[in-house]
Amino acid sequence: GAVVSQHPSWVICKSGTSVKIECRSLDFQATTMFWYRQFPKQSLMLMATSNEGSKATYEQGVEKDKFLINHASLTLSTLTVTSAHPEDSSFYICSARDPRTPSYEQYFGPGTRLTVT
Amino acid sequence: AQSVTQPDIHITVSEGASLELRCNYSYGATPYLFWYVQSPGQGLQLLLKYFSGDTLVQGIKGFEAEFKRSQSSFNLRKPSVHWSDAAEYFCAVGPMNYGGATNKLIFGTGTLLAVQP
């Protein structure tokens, strides 16, 4: 089946620094990837849709200058949290759409726990 | 507006008992329907999906779900719960025209399942 990986699985950084999270589709080419944020005991909040070779589409209320998304290849999308602050601490999950399936299913990565101190 | 409702925030069942998790959606047409499971600190795993055809769909780990158009529901069931089923369960809907680059999943708020020995 389709596998999506994320790296790192957890990261601790100091306030004001930037953090990059990678999302890779391991056995398929994903033209579209999605980035979600999940607060404790809450559902997933879509942050942005990442399309290979074009600019990401951000959801309302998500700061595109703070959460930089790059989808440089068909198997890799990155999310960079710039000038991170404690309120950015969260669980970030990516997913990738598998175009081989008739329903364009999304497969999720294992998530990245970000803690900003 | 499109929405997904999971009325039960938290459910506790005894091991070996049957389980039903509720999901209702509001959508202009019959969407694609999904159930995902999330273990603590992990990403989401697809349990099952409905696109068309037989309204009773079988998934992994012994789960099944039934699509009822008249009730706009897609409830998840399992005849006998195992302790390892304790997790958070998310219902999600996606648009029928899933091939569009900007299409996205809408998640419910999740149901946390606890299993008593």
Side-chain angles (χ1 to χ4, degrees), chain A residues 38-71:
Chain A
Q38 187 179 31
F39 292 100
K41 302 186 186 301
Q42 294 188 28
S43 188
L44 281 74
M45 180 191 79
L46 179 66
M47 299 175 66
T49 302
S50 169
N51 295 298
E52 187 270 335
S54 64
K55 291 183 178 180
T57 302
Y58 290 82
E59 295 299 301
Q60 190 173 8
V62 178
E63 299 176 60
K64 62 180 181 181
D65 294 330
K66 181 168 189 60
F67 299 99
L68 300 179
I69 292 173
N70 183 278
H71 195 156

Side-chain angles (χ1 to χ4, degrees), chain B residues 23-47:
Chain B
C23 173
N24 293 93
Y25 66 91
S26 174
Y27 202 79
T30 301
Y32 291 153
L33 296 159
F34 305 84
W35 274 100
Y36 288 90
V37 61
Q38 184 182 32
S39 297
Q42 301 295 316
L44 275 69
Q45 181 182 23
L46 180 66
L47 284 176

Side-chain angles (χ1 to χ4, degrees), chain A residues 43 59 97 103-105, chain B residues 38 49 51 98 103-104 108:
Chain A
S43 188
E59 295 299 301
R97 177 180 288 167
S103 57
Y104 283 67
E105 292 174 25
Chain B
Q38 184 182 32
K49 57 187 181 285
F51 302 135
Y98 211 35
N103 290 337
K104 59 193 180 187

Side-chain angles (χ1 to χ4, degrees), chain B residues 40-102:
Chain B
Q42 301 295 316
L44 275 69
Q45 181 182 23
L46 180 66
L47 284 176
L48 46 78
K49 57 187 181 285
Y50 172 78
F51 302 135
S52 64
D54 192 347
T55 57
L56 183 63
V57 293
Q58 302 297 320
I60 63 172
K61 303 184 180 184
F63 285 93
E64 65 178 27
E66 185 172 13
F67 169 59
K68 293 185 177 180
R69 184 189 307 274
S70 62
Q71 299 177 18
S72 296
S73 69
F74 188 57
N75 294 348
L76 181 71
R77 301 193 295 247
K78 186 170 185 178
S80 178
V81 171
H82 188 262
W83 64 266
S84 61
D85 294 324
E88 183 116 33
Y89 292 79
F90 292 96
C91 180
V93 301
M96 284 292 288
N97 182 23
Y98 211 35
T102 59

Side-chain angles (χ1 to χ4, degrees), chain A residues 28-115:
Chain A
F28 65 100
Q29 294 182 328
T31 53
T32 304
M33 291 184 172
F34 301 86
W35 286 96
Y36 296 85
R37 184 173 180 177
Q38 187 179 31
F39 292 100
K41 302 186 186 301
Q42 294 188 28
S43 188
L44 281 74
M45 180 191 79
L46 179 66
M47 299 175 66
T49 302
S50 169
N51 295 298
E52 187 270 335
S54 64
K55 291 183 178 180
T57 302
Y58 290 82
E59 295 299 301
Q60 190 173 8
V62 178
E63 299 176 60
K64 62 180 181 181
D65 294 330
K66 181 168 189 60
F67 299 99
L68 300 179
I69 292 173
N70 183 278
H71 195 156
S73 77
L74 288 172
T75 60
L76 173 64
S77 176
T78 60
L79 168 67
T80 301
V81 183
T82 63
S83 186
H85 292 284
E87 57 265 30
D88 299 323
S89 298
S90 191
F91 194 55
Y92 293 88
I93 303 176
C94 73
S95 70
R97 177 180 288 167
D98 188 351
R100 300 170 301 177
T101 62
S103 57
Y104 283 67
E105 292 174 25
Q106 288 186 34
Y107 293 88
F108 287 80
T112 297
R113 173 76 58 192
L114 170 63
T115 301

